[in-house]
Amino acid sequence: MSTVQETGANGANCPEALARAKGAVTASVAKVCKAGQASQASQAGAARRTLSPVAAFVGAALTFVGVTFAAGAPSPLFVLYQQEWGFPAWVLTIAFAIYAITLLVTLLIAGSLSDHIGRRPVLIGALALEIVSMLIFLFAQDIGWIIVARAIQGVATGAATGTFTAAIVELAPEKHKKLGAVIGGTAPVGGLALGALITGAAVQFTAVPTVIIFSSLAVVFTLGIIVVALSAETVSRRAGAVRSLIPRLTVPRAARAEFGAIVPVLIGTWMLAGLFLGLAPSIIRGVFHIDSGLVNGAIVALQPAAGAVAGFVLSRVHARTATIWGSASVVVGIAISVSAVAFGLLPLLFVGAVLGGAGFGAAFSGSLRILAPLAPAHQRAELFAAVYLVNYLAYGVPALIVGELIGVVGLLDAVIGYGIAAALATAVGLVVQLRRAHVVRSARPATGSVRVVAAAE
């Protein structure tokens, strides 16, 4: 009987098996054959419903770019909203910071949820929320609507960011896993650049920029849901989903030393991102007295665009080296940008944006390449959630503080103080990375345990 079952389970040679079977065994053989054939049909149907690995990888990466595009898109529109609705300048910082705050809360609550229930359910839910936020942006009547839309967008992005980063690494072809980490590090900054630049151009050259941008993004996220739904799940369900919703910050043990060494780099580089994405439109208008959607979009986009390019170009450079040189470039870029604001030199601000942005991309991509191999698959989203928690704390909280200080000390002094703080944080990270590199080089001949670190780099 067991032999017959094995034959039928494969759905093959069923006629021969039935012919050989006698008496009461015939009915059992028929049932087993039908079960085997049904199983094969089910597997074939599942295969037809699943995208190829390459298509799923590319689709996930493009959708992730769409999420970060949407995060950068409102920045050039804030000044336009202010002109149309006439609210105080400090309200802009609330609209900017509420996104970071809700994103942070979501990372704390749901950052590791996809490690338990799978990547697809979390990503589909996050993309559905993105669609809701785009529709609110599209039909907004006052700044209150914008703040609500940014809050919902923050929740959606918080749920999607770590999960997309993990999924892209896992969906990457086996021979190109490092490419997944590179894309995970460059997609956020590349998407921010595209969002700011294209939205700035829409403000400058079209009569209905909000309709063009937000309706298009709603379509993109709808297509993204279809891509995710048709992609293979990359992790198995495991217990503890409800318990994982308790707010916490956990880093896998194997990654803790490197994570701690990278934190200052993340703080400094993402403070630089906050300077350009949150404050650049106010700087262009308040310091340089330029009122142009295209210029606003260009200055906001230049820093993350340089970061995306640098992240890809330097993907073959040793991860630690990229992080060190990137951190140094961020310090130089911040110094140039602050000097540009202090002396009113707009071309110098663009130079600072390029240098600082290139450093941002190199340092952040290098950091992810160091960390990604140090976490098992079932803890990878949790690790990336911790990374992005640090990122968005550095991205949002200082900008919110500076927004409050503008009314007290003035825009110029507030921006200069912000730049100095960002440069100091990055300089600390640079020193820590240099020491870490020395420790790793010194330990390599003495022990094989360093291979884990070397593999990460």
Side-chain angles (χ1 to χ4, degrees):
M1 182 66 180
S2 61
T3 303
V4 173
Q5 287 178 332
E6 291 170 4
T7 303
N10 292 322
N13 300 322
C14 290
E16 292 82 357
L18 289 170
R20 289 195 301 268
K22 300 283 178 94
V25 179
T26 302
S28 299
V29 173
K31 291 180 181 178
V32 173
C33 288
K34 289 179 181 178
Q37 291 167 340
S39 175
Q40 280 191 329
S42 175
Q43 291 173 0
R48 287 193 296 270
R49 293 193 300 271
T50 302
L51 292 176
S52 69
V54 173
F57 171 66
V58 173
L62 291 176
T63 306
F64 190 22
V65 170
V67 171
T68 55
F69 181 110
S75 292
L77 294 170
F78 284 157
V79 175
L80 188 67
Y81 292 142
Q82 186 180 13
Q83 292 173 347
E84 182 178 353
W85 295 326
F87 51 82
W90 60 267
V91 176
L92 284 176
T93 60
I94 294 178
F96 170 75
I98 193 68
Y99 166 80
I101 292 170
T102 55
L103 188 152
L104 290 170
V105 172
T106 305
L107 281 173
L108 280 172
I109 295 174
S112 62
L113 182 61
S114 72
D115 287 335
H116 296 272
I117 69 172
R119 310 294 186 219
R120 290 191 301 181
V122 173
L123 292 177
I124 289 172
L127 293 173
L129 284 177
E130 289 281 6
I131 293 172
V132 171
S133 69
M134 295 303 103
L135 294 177
I136 296 175
F137 275 122
L138 184 59
F139 296 105
Q141 300 295 315
D142 56 43
I143 189 61
W145 288 55
I146 300 301
I147 292 173
V148 170
R150 286 292 274 177
I152 295 173
Q153 187 182 30
V155 173
T157 308
T161 300
T163 306
F164 259 127
T165 306
I168 289 169
V169 170
E170 292 156 1
L171 288 169
E174 283 299 325
K175 294 182 179 180
H176 301 286
K177 288 298 182 183
K178 188 174 75 172
L179 177 62
V182 171
I183 291 177
T186 55
V189 290
L192 289 170
L194 287 173
L197 184 60
I198 293 175
T199 303
V203 170
Q204 188 73 27
F205 299 116
T206 70
V208 284
T210 55
V211 174
I212 293 171
I213 295 299
F214 296 123
S215 60
S216 298
L217 284 170
V219 172
V220 168
F221 294 137
T222 301
L223 295 175
I225 288 175
I226 295 172
V227 168
V228 171
L230 294 178
S231 298
E233 180 58 74
T234 56
V235 294
S236 302
R237 286 177 175 263
R238 63 190 182 98
V242 175
R243 189 169 59 253
S244 75
L245 297 177
I246 299 173
R248 61 176 182 170
L249 176 63
T250 304
V251 176
R253 184 178 300 275
R256 288 177 187 174
E258 289 292 359
F259 180 83
I262 284 168
V263 163
V265 173
L266 298 178
I267 292 173
T269 54
W270 281 78
M271 281 184 72
L272 173 67
L275 173 65
F276 281 94
L277 290 167
L279 299 174
S282 297
I283 293 171
I284 294 297
R285 189 178 185 191
V287 175
F288 299 102
H289 309 293
I290 296 174
D291 191 6
S292 167
L294 185 60
V295 173
N296 282 337
I299 193 64
V300 170
L302 195 56
Q303 181 261 336
V309 172
F312 270 111
V313 170
L314 299 177
S315 62
R316 295 184 179 275
V317 175
H318 193 285
R320 183 85 59 190
T321 302
T323 303
I324 290 171
W325 282 104
S327 299
S329 183
V330 167
V331 174
V332 175
I334 292 173
I336 293 174
S337 299
V338 169
S339 300
V341 173
F343 297 107
L345 301 173
L346 183 59
L348 197 61
L349 183 62
F350 281 88
V351 173
V354 171
L355 285 176
F360 173 95
F364 182 53
S365 178
S367 297
L368 289 187
R369 283 194 282 138
I370 291 172
L371 291 174
L374 301 180
H378 67 275
Q379 292 182 305
R380 193 167 288 135
E382 188 172 38
L383 171 62
F384 290 136
V387 169
Y388 280 102
L389 182 67
V390 174
N391 293 347
Y392 282 103
L393 277 172
Y395 172 77
V397 174
L400 180 61
I401 294 172
V402 169
E404 296 299 320
L405 289 176
I406 288 174
V408 179
V409 302
L411 176 64
L412 185 61
D413 289 341
V415 169
I416 291 174
Y418 182 103
I420 292 172
L424 287 175
T426 311
V428 170
L430 174 59
V431 172
V432 172
Q433 285 301 306
L434 288 169
R435 289 176 59 87
R436 185 72 183 168
H438 176 71
V439 169
V440 171
R441 282 196 301 269
S442 300
R444 186 171 287 121
T447 176
S449 63
V450 76
R451 291 176 184 171
V452 176
V453 176
E457 301 176 57

